[in-house]
Amino acid sequence: MATLLILDSSALPQGSASRDVTATFRKAWEEQHPEGTVVHRDLAANPLPHISAAGVTALFTDPAERTEEQRAAFALREELAAELEAADAVLIGAPMYNFTIPSSLKAWLDHVIIMGRTGGENSSVAGKPVTVVASRGGSYAPGTPREGFEFAATYLEKVLSGLLGLEVDVITPELTLARSVPAMADLIDMADASRAAAHEEAAAKAKALAARLAA
């Protein structure tokens, strides 16, 4: 049976657009594939430590010569890499914070990308499908004033495909601050339409992916 790994990184436990859409994806996945497995990591509620010198240098140190600190740090990296390798599909909730991804998600990436294993030419996770829910408070679509400030979805597409070799698909609910920022009141209808479309897209992609992996 297929395993879905979910990574949520929004700092908001409630009212998060990315969490709402990943929840829709998960519900549709489980309905389509009730015997499958879901592994959920809440990177905000249970943040990983940022990668340390011990975690980096352990990769280039003979295992027999690693210090206790290096062994502990690298054990976490191996745990996360193995979790990714065991998953058949990945779902990532990635809200935009200050034009890029949350630091909690960046910490996961720094741990899980192990060159010569998950990362690089012969990646152990190459071809694995990953769906990214890249929510953002405004709009950074082509032609908008802030098009050039989008470093969240574009970064994830590059690092997930370029270093891990994953098959990346992105869902983008935008204008999520329209109902809470008075200056964006005129954009509420567009925001609601974007969120509704994101939920529809998430449900459809989850069902299609579950069916594909169960075949």
Side-chain angles (χ1 to χ4, degrees):
M1 298 302 167
T3 296
L4 173 66
L5 172 61
I6 302 176
L7 304 165
D8 275 314
S9 62
S10 171
L12 301 175
Q14 304 292 332
S16 161
S18 65
R19 286 183 186 274
D20 287 348
V21 176
T22 59
T24 292
F25 189 105
R26 176 176 183 169
K27 183 175 183 291
W29 168 280
E30 291 179 327
E31 289 174 347
Q32 184 73 24
H33 194 45
E35 297 181 357
T37 300
V38 173
V39 176
H40 182 219
R41 273 193 180 270
D42 190 328
L43 298 173
N46 298 290
L48 297 166
H50 288 291
I51 196 163
S52 64
V56 174
T57 58
L59 185 61
F60 308 102
T61 303
D62 187 305
E65 298 179 2
R66 288 173 183 164
T67 65
E68 286 296 327
E69 186 180 10
Q70 286 177 318
R71 280 194 285 271
F74 199 67
L76 175 60
R77 299 191 70 184
E78 289 193 310
E79 175 190 347
L80 296 171
E83 187 173 75
L84 176 59
E85 289 167 337
D88 296 287
V90 184
L91 173 64
I92 300 175
M96 177 189 281
Y97 289 168
N98 301 315
F99 304 135
T100 188
I101 64 173
S103 62
S104 59
L105 180 54
K106 180 59 164 62
W108 179 82
L109 287 165
D110 287 340
H111 284 295
V112 83
I113 298 172
I114 301 175
M115 299 308 294
R117 180 174 171 177
T118 57
E121 188 175 351
N122 298 308
S123 169
S124 59
V125 297
K128 200 180 297 288
V130 55
T131 304
V132 175
V133 178
S135 61
R136 54 252 197 135
S139 179
Y140 298 78
T144 61
R146 287 196 167 181
E147 176 184 356
F149 291 80
E150 205 294 298
F151 303 106
T154 51
Y155 167 73
L156 285 173
E157 287 183 277
K158 297 297 185 185
V159 73
L160 293 172
S161 62
L163 286 179
L164 294 171
L166 298 172
E167 175 191 308
V168 184
D169 198 6
V170 180
I171 299 172
T172 311
E174 61 179 13
L175 302 169
T176 62
L177 293 177
R179 287 189 172 276
S180 57
V181 176
M184 296 177 67
D186 291 343
L187 302 173
I188 287 177
D189 288 346
M190 292 177 63
D192 290 347
S194 177
R195 180 171 292 211
H199 281 283
E200 290 178 8
E201 189 177 359
K205 289 182 184 300
K207 291 176 182 178
L209 187 55
R212 166 184 154 189
L213 294 175

